Structures are given as C-alpha cells and as structure tokens.
Amino acid sequence: MKPMPLVAGNWKMNGLRASQAELDALNAVLTAKGAPCEVLICPPFTLVAAFAAATGDKVAIGAQDCHAKQSGAHTGDISAEMLKDAGAGYVIVGHSERRADHGESSEAVRAKAEAVLAEGLKPIVCIGETESERDAGKTLDVVLGQLAGSVPTGSTAANTVIAYEPVWAIGTGRTPTVAEVAEVHTAIRSALVARFGADGTGFRILYGGSVKPDNANELMAADNVDGALVGGASLKASDFTGIIDAYRS
Ligand code: PGA
C-alpha cells in the first residue's frame, strides 16, 4: 500500500510571532478545501509552542533539530522532550545545513533520531549529496551511507520519515531531473527493504530541494517519492498550498 504522502515545511531561521498569519492562512485553506495529504510546518524553536497551540487538525507542527540528550548542561540546546512538551509531533534531524554548519556526523544524527523516537515523536532524517559528490559519481554511495548511518534500529515506517535533499538543490532553484530523483528514491527504498523487510516499503521518502508550486506535480509523481520537504516555498501559505495541490487529483 502506498503510504500517505507528507508535505512538510522547513522554515529554517525565518519567522516571527506575526508569521502566525501564514499558519492561520494555511489552516483556513485546508479547512475549506480539505487536506489531500499530511501537512507539517516546522518553524523555529521560538514559535513551536505558539504554533502548536494555534494550529487546527489539518496542520501538524514540528521542529528543525534537537539535542540527543533529554536534559542537562547543554547551554542553548533543546531536547526532544521539550519539543514534545511544546506540542511538536515531528523533528527534522540531520538537515544538510546542520551537517555543514555544525559538523553533525551521521552517528550524531542517529543519536538525535533515537532521542526523538524515545519521546514518541517522529524524526525526519535528512540525507543528500553535495554537487562535487554528484559530479564524482558518488551520489548513491553517499546517500545510502548516510541512510545506513543516520536511521536508528528502532525506526519503522510508522515512526520515521526519510528526506532526500541534494545539497546543491537546496535554495538554489535547481533540481535533479525526475529520472534522477526516481533513481535515488528507488535506491533508498531498496535499502530500506533490505534492512527493515516488508516494513521498508511503507517508509515515506520525501524529496527536498527547490520544490515550488510549478515543479511539485512532476517531482511528487516520481517513483518512490512520498511527499516533499520544502524550505523557501513553505514560508508563504499561498506557495505552500500550491505544492500541496500536487496531491489533489
Ligand atoms: P528549499 O529548501 O526548498 O528552499 O530548497 C529545502 C530544505 O532545505 O529543506
């Protein structure tokens, strides 16, 4: 059975309290038209609790990172338990900006994902190759290596989401071809089935990197693409609903 698609917005370091107007607009559209897939917004930490309190039943709220420990002497960090307490349902882990800006290894990402699972929240585990890795023909090696290293043993189709985000496609307006997306997603699917058996067929594998309303239809139709992780185009409800529309028949 094909999993229920998920369209997730990653607001990154954008958004102030006034930005709740975009969440309200998104909720209004999905309440009026219905939601054809699962929809998630991951605002910065400062807005998680307010957004969770304000959202309706059509839009879930998540966070963009967490610490691997539940509490303790880690100044400036936020734990999965805190995010659960604030009302988050999902936590993005291992985004390429965290891997690059904060030197997060796949081992560190896996520890974060385990912490998310331990709270009963769902990790969205991000993987993806750089442009030079793709040019060197190493895309599948890199992506499957990150997958194996970052996804916890306790992951299941029901509790974990994978996001394939080629680093060179993030925020650049460039995307792989549909055939290239399908090739990587199909390789990820095969690796999940090899590791998790039949349950591997049910994991949602999101594509991320310059998803926009005008390319969402073709990207979401690619083999083994079960949704999108959207950065820039998730900040405005009008753009984001245009992407969600890819799942309206
Ligand atoms: P983008 O970002 O849609 O702005 O390319 C995607 C992401 O980083 O999750």
Side-chain angles (χ1 to χ4, degrees):
M1 209 179 76
K2 251 188 113 46
M4 169 74 132
L6 169 65
V7 175
N10 170 13
W11 278 21
K12 309 191 179 184
M13 198 171 71
N14 298 291
L16 301 173
R17 280 184 291 175
S19 316
Q20 196 178 306
E22 296 300 329
L23 175 68
D24 294 344
L26 180 60
N27 270 301
V29 170
L30 296 178
T31 300
K33 293 172 77 175
C37 58
E38 212 180 319
V39 177
L40 170 69
I41 290 287
C42 299
F45 288 138
T46 47
L47 297 176
V48 168
F51 276 30
T55 196
D57 61 356
K58 300 285 191 289
V59 182
I61 302 302
Q64 302 168 17
D65 179 46
C66 69
H67 196 276
K69 296 257 168 60
Q70 196 178 49
S71 61
H74 301 287
T75 302
D77 279 313
I78 302 279
S79 74
E81 184 185 45
M82 292 167 179
L83 295 170
K84 181 183 183 179
D85 188 50
Y90 286 85
V91 183
I92 297 169
V93 293
H95 190 281
S96 65
E97 287 152 16
R98 302 245 12 132
R99 289 179 189 261
D101 294 357
H102 301 273
E104 290 185 11
S105 64
S106 288
E107 196 182 12
V109 173
R110 184 187 194 125
K112 291 179 179 213
E114 281 166 353
V116 174
L117 289 174
E119 295 303 328
L121 307 183
K122 296 176 184 173
I124 299 177
V125 180
C126 300
I127 55 180
E129 83 287 0
T130 63
E131 185 157 33
S132 60
E133 288 165 341
R134 177 164 282 265
D135 290 346
K138 293 188 191 147
T139 297
L140 293 183
D141 279 356
V142 170
V143 167
L144 298 180
Q146 290 179 346
L147 183 77
S150 307
V151 175
T153 310
S155 283
T156 66
N159 70 17
T160 299
V161 177
I162 310 299
Y164 167 57
E165 299 202 299
V167 177
W168 52 273
I170 294 175
T172 58
R174 296 164 57 207
T175 61
T177 65
V178 171
E180 287 167 339
V181 170
E183 182 195 12
V184 177
H185 278 242
T186 301
I188 293 170
R189 176 73 66 211
S190 300
L192 290 170
V193 170
R195 181 168 167 193
F196 295 102
D199 194 47
T201 62
F203 278 68
R204 279 148 339 152
I205 309 172
L206 313 185
Y207 168 77
S210 296
V211 179
K212 309 284 177 211
D214 62 4
N215 62 17
N217 272 330
E218 60 169 11
L219 289 168
M220 296 305 102
D223 284 350
N224 287 302
V225 173
D226 308 301
L229 181 54
V230 184
S234 70
L235 294 170
K236 289 269 165 270
S238 51
D239 292 334
F240 199 48
T241 51
I243 293 168
I244 292 165
D245 282 344
Y247 286 105
R248 293 186 198 281
S249 45

mmCIF file with all atom_site columns, all heavy atoms in Angstrom, residues 10 12 95 97 165 169-172 208-212 229-233, ligand 1:
data_model
loop_
_atom_site.group_PDB
_atom_site.id
_atom_site.type_symbol
_atom_site.label_atom_id
_atom_site.label_alt_id
_atom_site.label_comp_id
_atom_site.label_asym_id
_atom_site.label_entity_id
_atom_site.label_seq_id
_atom_site.pdbx_PDB_ins_code
_atom_site.Cartn_x
_atom_site.Cartn_y
_atom_site.Cartn_z
_atom_site.occupancy
_atom_site.B_iso_or_equiv
_atom_site.pdbx_formal_charge
_atom_site.auth_seq_id
_atom_site.auth_comp_id
_atom_site.auth_asym_id
_atom_site.auth_atom_id
_atom_site.pdbx_PDB_model_num
ATOM   1   N N   . ASN A 1 10  ? 9.876  23.533 6.088  1.00 0.00 ? 10  ASN A N   1
ATOM   2   C CA  . ASN A 1 10  ? 11.011 23.809 6.975  1.00 0.00 ? 10  ASN A CA  1
ATOM   3   C C   . ASN A 1 10  ? 11.282 25.310 6.893  1.00 0.00 ? 10  ASN A C   1
ATOM   4   O O   . ASN A 1 10  ? 11.821 25.791 5.906  1.00 0.00 ? 10  ASN A O   1
ATOM   5   C CB  . ASN A 1 10  ? 12.220 22.995 6.478  1.00 0.00 ? 10  ASN A CB  1
ATOM   6   C CG  . ASN A 1 10  ? 13.512 23.375 7.176  1.00 0.00 ? 10  ASN A CG  1
ATOM   7   O OD1 . ASN A 1 10  ? 13.505 24.069 8.192  1.00 0.00 ? 10  ASN A OD1 1
ATOM   8   N ND2 . ASN A 1 10  ? 14.625 22.917 6.616  1.00 0.00 ? 10  ASN A ND2 1
ATOM   9   N N   . LYS A 1 12  ? 13.329 27.029 8.558  1.00 0.00 ? 12  LYS A N   1
ATOM   10  C CA  . LYS A 1 12  ? 14.722 27.398 8.864  1.00 0.00 ? 12  LYS A CA  1
ATOM   11  C C   . LYS A 1 12  ? 14.738 28.579 9.844  1.00 0.00 ? 12  LYS A C   1
ATOM   12  O O   . LYS A 1 12  ? 13.864 28.649 10.705 1.00 0.00 ? 12  LYS A O   1
ATOM   13  C CB  . LYS A 1 12  ? 15.480 27.691 7.566  1.00 0.00 ? 12  LYS A CB  1
ATOM   14  C CG  . LYS A 1 12  ? 15.313 26.553 6.557  1.00 0.00 ? 12  LYS A CG  1
ATOM   15  C CD  . LYS A 1 12  ? 16.227 26.642 5.371  1.00 0.00 ? 12  LYS A CD  1
ATOM   16  C CE  . LYS A 1 12  ? 15.977 25.439 4.464  1.00 0.00 ? 12  LYS A CE  1
ATOM   17  N NZ  . LYS A 1 12  ? 16.877 25.367 3.336  1.00 0.00 ? 12  LYS A NZ  1
ATOM   18  N N   . HIS A 1 95  ? 19.538 17.740 8.858  1.00 0.00 ? 95  HIS A N   1
ATOM   19  C CA  . HIS A 1 95  ? 19.462 18.602 7.674  1.00 0.00 ? 95  HIS A CA  1
ATOM   20  C C   . HIS A 1 95  ? 20.876 18.964 7.216  1.00 0.00 ? 95  HIS A C   1
ATOM   21  O O   . HIS A 1 95  ? 21.767 19.146 8.055  1.00 0.00 ? 95  HIS A O   1
ATOM   22  C CB  . HIS A 1 95  ? 18.657 19.862 8.007  1.00 0.00 ? 95  HIS A CB  1
ATOM   23  C CG  . HIS A 1 95  ? 18.348 20.666 6.777  1.00 0.00 ? 95  HIS A CG  1
ATOM   24  N ND1 . HIS A 1 95  ? 19.271 21.489 6.194  1.00 0.00 ? 95  HIS A ND1 1
ATOM   25  C CD2 . HIS A 1 95  ? 17.235 20.736 6.011  1.00 0.00 ? 95  HIS A CD2 1
ATOM   26  C CE1 . HIS A 1 95  ? 18.733 22.034 5.114  1.00 0.00 ? 95  HIS A CE1 1
ATOM   27  N NE2 . HIS A 1 95  ? 17.504 21.590 4.978  1.00 0.00 ? 95  HIS A NE2 1
ATOM   28  N N   . GLU A 1 97  ? 22.153 21.609 6.311  1.00 0.00 ? 97  GLU A N   1
ATOM   29  C CA  . GLU A 1 97  ? 22.685 22.846 6.900  1.00 0.00 ? 97  GLU A CA  1
ATOM   30  C C   . GLU A 1 97  ? 23.232 22.583 8.302  1.00 0.00 ? 97  GLU A C   1
ATOM   31  O O   . GLU A 1 97  ? 24.178 23.237 8.738  1.00 0.00 ? 97  GLU A O   1
ATOM   32  C CB  . GLU A 1 97  ? 21.589 23.928 6.886  1.00 0.00 ? 97  GLU A CB  1
ATOM   33  C CG  . GLU A 1 97  ? 21.376 24.442 5.461  1.00 0.00 ? 97  GLU A CG  1
ATOM   34  C CD  . GLU A 1 97  ? 19.990 24.973 5.152  1.00 0.00 ? 97  GLU A CD  1
ATOM   35  O OE1 . GLU A 1 97  ? 19.216 25.249 6.096  1.00 0.00 ? 97  GLU A OE1 1
ATOM   36  O OE2 . GLU A 1 97  ? 19.684 25.098 3.953  1.00 0.00 ? 97  GLU A OE2 1
ATOM   37  N N   . GLU A 1 165 ? 17.525 15.138 0.138  1.00 0.00 ? 165 GLU A N   1
ATOM   38  C CA  . GLU A 1 165 ? 17.712 16.530 -0.272 1.00 0.00 ? 165 GLU A CA  1
ATOM   39  C C   . GLU A 1 165 ? 19.119 16.709 -0.845 1.00 0.00 ? 165 GLU A C   1
ATOM   40  O O   . GLU A 1 165 ? 20.086 16.837 -0.074 1.00 0.00 ? 165 GLU A O   1
ATOM   41  C CB  . GLU A 1 165 ? 17.547 17.466 0.923  1.00 0.00 ? 165 GLU A CB  1
ATOM   42  C CG  . GLU A 1 165 ? 16.183 17.406 1.570  1.00 0.00 ? 165 GLU A CG  1
ATOM   43  C CD  . GLU A 1 165 ? 15.891 18.677 2.353  1.00 0.00 ? 165 GLU A CD  1
ATOM   44  O OE1 . GLU A 1 165 ? 16.636 18.977 3.300  1.00 0.00 ? 165 GLU A OE1 1
ATOM   45  O OE2 . GLU A 1 165 ? 14.949 19.380 1.995  1.00 0.00 ? 165 GLU A OE2 1
ATOM   46  N N   . ALA A 1 169 ? 20.708 21.374 -4.538 1.00 0.00 ? 169 ALA A N   1
ATOM   47  C CA  . ALA A 1 169 ? 19.366 21.793 -4.969 1.00 0.00 ? 169 ALA A CA  1
ATOM   48  C C   . ALA A 1 169 ? 18.674 22.655 -3.917 1.00 0.00 ? 169 ALA A C   1
ATOM   49  O O   . ALA A 1 169 ? 17.616 23.234 -4.176 1.00 0.00 ? 169 ALA A O   1
ATOM   50  C CB  . ALA A 1 169 ? 18.511 20.564 -5.272 1.00 0.00 ? 169 ALA A CB  1
ATOM   51  N N   . ILE A 1 170 ? 19.276 22.749 -2.722 1.00 0.00 ? 170 ILE A N   1
ATOM   52  C CA  . ILE A 1 170 ? 18.616 23.464 -1.629 1.00 0.00 ? 170 ILE A CA  1
ATOM   53  C C   . ILE A 1 170 ? 18.803 24.966 -1.791 1.00 0.00 ? 170 ILE A C   1
ATOM   54  O O   . ILE A 1 170 ? 19.935 25.458 -1.813 1.00 0.00 ? 170 ILE A O   1
ATOM   55  C CB  . ILE A 1 170 ? 19.161 22.989 -0.264 1.00 0.00 ? 170 ILE A CB  1
ATOM   56  C CG1 . ILE A 1 170 ? 18.771 21.529 -0.033 1.00 0.00 ? 170 ILE A CG1 1
ATOM   57  C CG2 . ILE A 1 170 ? 18.646 23.874 0.857  1.00 0.00 ? 170 ILE A CG2 1
ATOM   58  C CD1 . ILE A 1 170 ? 19.352 20.917 1.230  1.00 0.00 ? 170 ILE A CD1 1
ATOM   59  N N   . GLY A 1 171 ? 17.685 25.659 -1.936 1.00 0.00 ? 171 GLY A N   1
ATOM   60  C CA  . GLY A 1 171 ? 17.716 27.118 -2.007 1.00 0.00 ? 171 GLY A CA  1
ATOM   61  C C   . GLY A 1 171 ? 18.345 27.671 -3.267 1.00 0.00 ? 171 GLY A C   1
ATOM   62  O O   . GLY A 1 171 ? 18.652 28.871 -3.336 1.00 0.00 ? 171 GLY A O   1
ATOM   63  N N   . THR A 1 172 ? 18.537 26.836 -4.271 1.00 0.00 ? 172 THR A N   1
ATOM   64  C CA  . THR A 1 172 ? 19.243 27.277 -5.475 1.00 0.00 ? 172 THR A CA  1
ATOM   65  C C   . THR A 1 172 ? 18.330 27.447 -6.679 1.00 0.00 ? 172 THR A C   1
ATOM   66  O O   . THR A 1 172 ? 18.739 28.011 -7.691 1.00 0.00 ? 172 THR A O   1
ATOM   67  C CB  . THR A 1 172 ? 20.319 26.251 -5.887 1.00 0.00 ? 172 THR A CB  1
ATOM   68  O OG1 . THR A 1 172 ? 19.673 24.987 -6.103 1.00 0.00 ? 172 THR A OG1 1
ATOM   69  C CG2 . THR A 1 172 ? 21.382 26.101 -4.806 1.00 0.00 ? 172 THR A CG2 1
ATOM   70  N N   . GLY A 1 208 ? 13.376 16.860 -1.200 1.00 0.00 ? 208 GLY A N   1
ATOM   71  C CA  . GLY A 1 208 ? 13.514 18.269 -0.839 1.00 0.00 ? 208 GLY A CA  1
ATOM   72  C C   . GLY A 1 208 ? 14.621 18.920 -1.640 1.00 0.00 ? 208 GLY A C   1
ATOM   73  O O   . GLY A 1 208 ? 15.618 18.265 -2.014 1.00 0.00 ? 208 GLY A O   1
ATOM   74  N N   . GLY A 1 209 ? 14.461 20.215 -1.896 1.00 0.00 ? 209 GLY A N   1
ATOM   75  C CA  . GLY A 1 209 ? 15.439 20.979 -2.669 1.00 0.00 ? 209 GLY A CA  1
ATOM   76  C C   . GLY A 1 209 ? 14.728 21.703 -3.796 1.00 0.00 ? 209 GLY A C   1
ATOM   77  O O   . GLY A 1 209 ? 14.408 21.101 -4.813 1.00 0.00 ? 209 GLY A O   1
ATOM   78  N N   . SER A 1 210 ? 14.443 23.002 -3.540 1.00 0.00 ? 210 SER A N   1
ATOM   79  C CA  . SER A 1 210 ? 13.816 23.862 -4.555 1.00 0.00 ? 210 SER A CA  1
ATOM   80  C C   . SER A 1 210 ? 12.485 23.327 -5.076 1.00 0.00 ? 210 SER A C   1
ATOM   81  O O   . SER A 1 210 ? 12.161 23.485 -6.250 1.00 0.00 ? 210 SER A O   1
ATOM   82  C CB  . SER A 1 210 ? 14.780 24.133 -5.710 1.00 0.00 ? 210 SER A CB  1
ATOM   83  O OG  . SER A 1 210 ? 15.905 24.870 -5.249 1.00 0.00 ? 210 SER A OG  1
ATOM   84  N N   . VAL A 1 211 ? 11.697 22.703 -4.176 1.00 0.00 ? 211 VAL A N   1
ATOM   85  C CA  . VAL A 1 211 ? 10.327 22.346 -4.569 1.00 0.00 ? 211 VAL A CA  1
ATOM   86  C C   . VAL A 1 211 ? 9.487  23.619 -4.573 1.00 0.00 ? 211 VAL A C   1
ATOM   87  O O   . VAL A 1 211 ? 9.515  24.394 -3.615 1.00 0.00 ? 211 VAL A O   1
ATOM   88  C CB  . VAL A 1 211 ? 9.706  21.312 -3.602 1.00 0.00 ? 211 VAL A CB  1
ATOM   89  C CG1 . VAL A 1 211 ? 8.268  20.984 -4.031 1.00 0.00 ? 211 VAL A CG1 1
ATOM   90  C CG2 . VAL A 1 211 ? 10.552 20.049 -3.549 1.00 0.00 ? 211 VAL A CG2 1
ATOM   91  N N   . LYS A 1 212 ? 8.781  23.840 -5.672 1.00 0.00 ? 212 LYS A N   1
ATOM   92  C CA  . LYS A 1 212 ? 7.947  25.037 -5.859 1.00 0.00 ? 212 LYS A CA  1
ATOM   93  C C   . LYS A 1 212 ? 6.591  24.581 -6.401 1.00 0.00 ? 212 LYS A C   1
ATOM   94  O O   . LYS A 1 212 ? 6.474  23.462 -6.910 1.00 0.00 ? 212 LYS A O   1
ATOM   95  C CB  . LYS A 1 212 ? 8.582  25.985 -6.893 1.00 0.00 ? 212 LYS A CB  1
ATOM   96  C CG  . LYS A 1 212 ? 10.049 26.324 -6.655 1.00 0.00 ? 212 LYS A CG  1
ATOM   97  C CD  . LYS A 1 212 ? 10.246 27.327 -5.541 1.00 0.00 ? 212 LYS A CD  1
ATOM   98  C CE  . LYS A 1 212 ? 11.729 27.567 -5.312 1.00 0.00 ? 212 LYS A CE  1
ATOM   99  N NZ  . LYS A 1 212 ? 12.075 27.882 -3.940 1.00 0.00 ? 212 LYS A NZ  1
ATOM   100 N N   . LEU A 1 229 ? 9.871  17.973 1.320  1.00 0.00 ? 229 LEU A N   1
ATOM   101 C CA  . LEU A 1 229 ? 10.371 18.823 2.403  1.00 0.00 ? 229 LEU A CA  1
ATOM   102 C C   . LEU A 1 229 ? 10.715 20.148 1.737  1.00 0.00 ? 229 LEU A C   1
ATOM   103 O O   . LEU A 1 229 ? 11.568 20.200 0.854  1.00 0.00 ? 229 LEU A O   1
ATOM   104 C CB  . LEU A 1 229 ? 11.582 18.200 3.089  1.00 0.00 ? 229 LEU A CB  1
ATOM   105 C CG  . LEU A 1 229 ? 12.185 18.975 4.263  1.00 0.00 ? 229 LEU A CG  1
ATOM   106 C CD1 . LEU A 1 229 ? 11.144 19.296 5.331  1.00 0.00 ? 229 LEU A CD1 1
ATOM   107 C CD2 . LEU A 1 229 ? 13.342 18.203 4.896  1.00 0.00 ? 229 LEU A CD2 1
ATOM   108 N N   . VAL A 1 230 ? 10.017 21.197 2.151  1.00 0.00 ? 230 VAL A N   1
ATOM   109 C CA  . VAL A 1 230 ? 10.025 22.459 1.417  1.00 0.00 ? 230 VAL A CA  1
ATOM   110 C C   . VAL A 1 230 ? 10.586 23.567 2.291  1.00 0.00 ? 230 VAL A C   1
ATOM   111 O O   . VAL A 1 230 ? 10.114 23.772 3.413  1.00 0.00 ? 230 VAL A O   1
ATOM   112 C CB  . VAL A 1 230 ? 8.582  22.834 0.994  1.00 0.00 ? 230 VAL A CB  1
ATOM   113 C CG1 . VAL A 1 230 ? 8.593  24.089 0.135  1.00 0.00 ? 230 VAL A CG1 1
ATOM   114 C CG2 . VAL A 1 230 ? 7.895  21.670 0.282  1.00 0.00 ? 230 VAL A CG2 1
ATOM   115 N N   . GLY A 1 231 ? 11.593 24.271 1.797  1.00 0.00 ? 231 GLY A N   1
ATOM   116 C CA  . GLY A 1 231 ? 12.150 25.393 2.536  1.00 0.00 ? 231 GLY A CA  1
ATOM   117 C C   . GLY A 1 231 ? 11.466 26.694 2.132  1.00 0.00 ? 231 GLY A C   1
ATOM   118 O O   . GLY A 1 231 ? 10.375 27.025 2.598  1.00 0.00 ? 231 GLY A O   1
ATOM   119 N N   . GLY A 1 232 ? 12.105 27.424 1.231  1.00 0.00 ? 232 GLY A N   1
ATOM   120 C CA  . GLY A 1 232 ? 11.643 28.770 0.853  1.00 0.00 ? 232 GLY A CA  1
ATOM   121 C C   . GLY A 1 232 ? 10.164 28.862 0.515  1.00 0.00 ? 232 GLY A C   1
ATOM   122 O O   . GLY A 1 232 ? 9.470  29.790 0.962  1.00 0.00 ? 232 GLY A O   1
ATOM   123 N N   . ALA A 1 233 ? 9.667  27.893 -0.239 1.00 0.00 ? 233 ALA A N   1
ATOM   124 C CA  . ALA A 1 233 ? 8.274  27.971 -0.686 1.00 0.00 ? 233 ALA A CA  1
ATOM   125 C C   . ALA A 1 233 ? 7.275  27.541 0.394  1.00 0.00 ? 233 ALA A C   1
ATOM   126 O O   . ALA A 1 233 ? 6.077  27.465 0.134  1.00 0.00 ? 233 ALA A O   1
ATOM   127 C CB  . ALA A 1 233 ? 8.085  27.136 -1.956 1.00 0.00 ? 233 ALA A CB  1
HETATM 128 P P1  . PGA B 2 .   ? 14.418 24.868 -0.340 1.00 0.00 ? 1   PGA B P1  1
HETATM 129 O O1  . PGA B 2 .   ? 14.928 24.133 0.990  1.00 0.00 ? 1   PGA B O1  1
HETATM 130 O O2  . PGA B 2 .   ? 13.023 24.343 -0.625 1.00 0.00 ? 1   PGA B O2  1
HETATM 131 O O3  . PGA B 2 .   ? 14.422 26.317 -0.005 1.00 0.00 ? 1   PGA B O3  1
HETATM 132 O O4  . PGA B 2 .   ? 15.367 24.498 -1.429 1.00 0.00 ? 1   PGA B O4  1
HETATM 133 C C1  . PGA B 2 .   ? 14.641 22.784 1.236  1.00 0.00 ? 1   PGA B C1  1
HETATM 134 C C2  . PGA B 2 .   ? 15.224 22.357 2.554  1.00 0.00 ? 1   PGA B C2  1
HETATM 135 O O5  . PGA B 2 .   ? 16.354 22.760 2.875  1.00 0.00 ? 1   PGA B O5  1
HETATM 136 O O6  . PGA B 2 .   ? 14.591 21.606 3.327  1.00 0.00 ? 1   PGA B O6  1
#
